[in-house]
Amino acid sequence: MHFRNASWSGLAAAIRAITGLLGALLAVRLLGTGQYGQVATWLSLFVLYLSLNASAFTMLAVKLVVSSKGDRKMERDIATSAAVAFCAGSVMLLAVTTALLGTFVSMRPQFDGVLGAEFGSVIFMMGMLTAMQIVVALQAAVIEGSGRLDLATKWQLVGPLVIAGLLAYSFFSASKIDAFQYVAILAVGAFTDMCLLWIRRRSLVLPLWIPKGSSRLVGVLQLLRSGGVLQATSLLNLFLEPANKFILNYFVGAAAVAIYDLAMKVIWGIQHLVGASMRVFLYIGSEDRDAVGENFVKVIVMLGVPVITMHIFGALFLFWTAHYWMMIDAGPMMAFFAIAAISNLGMIFVTPLYFSLIGKRDLIFIFRIQAVLAVVNISVCGVLIPFLGLIGSAFGLLLATLVNATAIYARCRLETTVFAAQGNAIARAKRRISMAIGLLAATILWCGFGNDSVIPVMGILIGLAALMPGEPLVRRVLDQVVSKRA
C-alpha cells in the first residue's frame, strides 16, 4: 500500500512539475518577460494564502487516517465537517481580502503601465482561482484520509494538462493573451480538478456535511490549533516566494522575477516530486516509530543518485531555456541554480524525517524551528538581494535550509545501529552519490561557462548511464514492471 501510494504520488508530482514548467515557458512568451514577472509576483500572495489552508487539510488527512484504525465513525465525521466549516470560512475571508486588494490596486495608477488599467480584475480572478484550489485541497485530503493517497493525486492530473493545452493552443495559433486571460486559464484547470475530485469522492461514498451542534465548533477549533502549528512548516515557501519576488522586483526588475520563477519551478518541482512519494512517512511515523530510521536509510540509498540526476537534467533544461527560449545569458541563472540545488538536496533528504515528526504530532518543535528558519531566510534575503540580486536570494535559501535540516535530523535522534545494520548499502551509496555530485558540478559549470560543444554533455550522460543499472530504485521499478507483465 505504501509503495503504491508513494508511486502514484510521485508520478502525479512529476506530471504537475513538467506541465507547470511547460506552462511557465509558454506564458513567458505569450505575456512577455516583464508582464509574466508581475503576474508571478502578485500571484505569489495568493499562493501564500493557499498554503495557509494546506496545513489544516494535511492535519485533516492525518486525523482521518488515525481514526480509520478503529471503529470511530463519529470522530471521522466531526473532523470532516470541521474541515468543511473551515473551508467555507476561509473562502469567505479570501473573498473579502481579494475585494480589498483589487480595489486598492485599481486606485493606484502606477499599475496601469505594467499590467493595464484592468489589473483590478486580474486580482479578482486570482481570488477565484485560489478559492477553487482550496476546495480541491479539501476534497483531496478527505480522499487521502480514507487511505487512498493514490486516488487523491491521480485525479488532480487533468487540470495541469488542461492548462498546458490551452496555453499551447494560444502559442501555436499566435493568439495574444493578457494577464487576465492567463489567470483565467489557470482557473479553468483548477475548476477541472475540483469537479473530477468531487465526482471521485462521491463514488467513494465520502460525504462532506456539517452536523448540527457544538461539536462542529469544537472540531474547527481543534483543526485550527493543530493546523496553525503545522503552518509554520511551510514558512519557508511563504516567506521565500512573495518576499523574494517583491524585493527582486523592486531592486532588480520584473525580468529578474521571471528568471527566479522559472529556476524555482525546477527546484520546487524536484522537491515536490520526491516529497510527494515520501508523504507515506506521515503514516509510518504515526504507526511505528522504530521503522522511521530504517526506512529513512533505505530512502537515502534508493533515491540518492536519482535525485541528483533530476538536478542534472534540471540544469540542462534551464540552460536551454535561457539560451534558446528567453535568449539571455545563462550564467546568472546557473549561478543561482547551483546554490539553490545544494539547499534543495538538503531539504529533500531530510523530508522523510520531517513527515515522521508530523506523524508523531511533534508540532511545537516544528513551529519553533520553522519560525527560526523563516527569520533567517527573510533576513538574509533582505540584506543580500539589493546587492547580489538572484544570488542573494539563493544564499538566503541555503542558510535557512542548513538550519532547518540540522535541527530536524537532531530532533529525530536516529540510532547508530540503524546505519550499522545497512553499512554495506550505505558505503555503496556514498560512492555512487559522490560520482553523481561530480557529474552535477560538471553540468552546472558547462551550462554557465561552457560553449555550445555537446561533447561534455555526452560525457555526462554516458556517466549517468553507467551509474543507473546499479541503482536500487531502477531495479525496483524494473522488477515491478516484469512482475506485472508476468
Side-chain angles (χ1 to χ4, degrees), residues 50-268:
L50 180 63
S51 299
L52 290 171
N53 294 267
S55 293
F57 295 135
T58 297
M59 290 310 304
L60 169 64
V62 173
K63 287 178 180 291
L64 293 177
V65 168
V66 173
S67 63
S68 66
K69 301 304 178 182
D71 187 14
R72 294 185 279 181
K73 183 177 184 300
M74 181 177 294
E75 184 177 335
R76 294 196 299 272
D77 290 343
I78 291 175
T80 302
S81 59
V84 174
F86 170 80
C87 178
S90 179
V91 171
M92 291 176 61
L93 178 60
L94 173 65
V96 174
T97 305
T98 301
L100 293 175
L101 183 60
T103 303
F104 170 77
V105 299
S106 298
M107 297 172 60
R108 293 295 184 272
Q110 59 264 37
F111 295 119
D112 294 352
V114 180
L115 292 172
E118 301 299 323
F119 184 45
S121 61
V122 178
I123 295 295
F124 288 118
M125 182 56 68
M126 289 180 180
M128 292 182 61
L129 165 66
T130 307
M132 287 186 284
Q133 290 173 327
I134 291 173
V135 178
V136 167
L138 167 65
Q139 296 190 97
V142 172
I143 296 174
E144 178 184 348
S146 69
R148 298 306 305 269
L149 175 61
D150 57 326
L151 294 180
T153 54
K154 70 171 66 173
W155 283 89
Q156 297 180 68
L157 297 180
V158 179
L161 294 175
V162 169
I163 294 171
L166 291 174
L167 290 173
Y169 173 79
S170 300
F171 177 77
F172 289 109
S173 63
S175 301
K176 281 286 189 178
I177 67 171
D178 55 21
F180 179 84
Q181 293 169 325
Y182 170 63
V183 180
I185 289 175
L186 299 181
V188 170
F191 180 76
T192 302
D193 284 342
M194 183 177 67
C195 293
L196 292 177
L197 281 173
W198 187 279
I199 295 171
R200 189 52 177 154
R201 180 187 55 78
R202 291 291 297 269
S203 69
L204 294 173
V205 194
L206 298 172
L208 297 178
W209 58 283
I210 304 177
K212 297 181 180 180
S214 61
S215 60
R216 179 181 65 181
L217 178 60
V218 174
V220 172
L221 293 177
Q222 291 176 347
L223 190 66
L224 285 173
R225 182 168 60 250
S226 57
V229 175
L230 180 59
Q231 180 51 47
T233 62
S234 60
L235 281 176
L236 176 60
N237 292 344
L238 299 181
F239 278 84
L240 178 66
E241 291 298 308
N244 284 2
K245 285 179 178 178
F246 274 97
I247 296 174
L248 280 171
N249 194 12
Y250 182 81
F251 286 100
V252 187
V257 177
I259 296 173
Y260 171 90
D261 187 72
L262 285 173
M264 289 306 297
K265 272 185 166 54
V266 173
I267 292 294
W268 295 130

Side-chain angles (χ1 to χ4, degrees), residues 321-462:
T321 300
H323 200 66
Y324 297 103
W325 188 261
M326 301 177 70
M327 298 179 183
I328 60 174
D329 181 16
M333 182 181 286
M334 297 314 304
F336 170 83
F337 181 79
I339 301 171
I342 298 174
S343 62
N344 201 36
L345 290 172
M347 285 301 299
I348 287 173
F349 289 129
V350 83
T351 296
L353 303 182
Y354 165 76
F355 277 130
S356 71
L357 291 176
I358 298 176
K360 295 175 184 178
R361 308 282 184 91
D362 195 1
L363 303 181
I364 298 300
F365 164 77
I366 294 177
F367 176 84
R368 291 200 304 265
I369 188 57
Q370 293 293 340
V372 173
L373 178 149
V375 171
V376 170
N377 181 69
I378 199 64
S379 299
V380 174
C381 290
V383 171
L384 295 183
I385 285 178
F387 300 99
L388 302 179
L390 283 171
I391 303 300
S393 62
F395 276 116
L397 176 62
L398 178 62
L399 185 56
T401 299
L402 178 63
V403 173
N404 188 47
T406 302
I408 290 176
Y409 183 84
R411 182 70 171 185
C412 289
R413 300 186 183 91
L414 297 182
E415 298 291 340
T416 56
T417 54
V418 173
F419 300 96
Q422 303 186 52
N424 293 332
I426 293 175
R428 290 193 297 270
K430 284 182 178 179
R431 291 192 294 269
R432 297 196 308 270
I433 290 174
S434 297
M435 294 176 63
I437 291 175
L439 292 175
L440 174 60
T443 303
I444 292 176
L445 287 174
W446 178 84
C447 291
F449 307 102
N451 52 34
D452 291 333
S453 173
V454 298
I455 295 178
V457 178
M458 295 299 297
I460 292 169
L461 295 179
I462 292 173

Side-chain angles (χ1 to χ4, degrees), residues 36-45 241-242 245-246 249 254 257:
Y36 176 80
Q38 290 290 345
V39 171
T41 299
W42 286 93
L43 193 58
S44 66
L45 293 177
E241 291 298 308
K245 285 179 178 178
F246 274 97
N249 194 12
V257 177

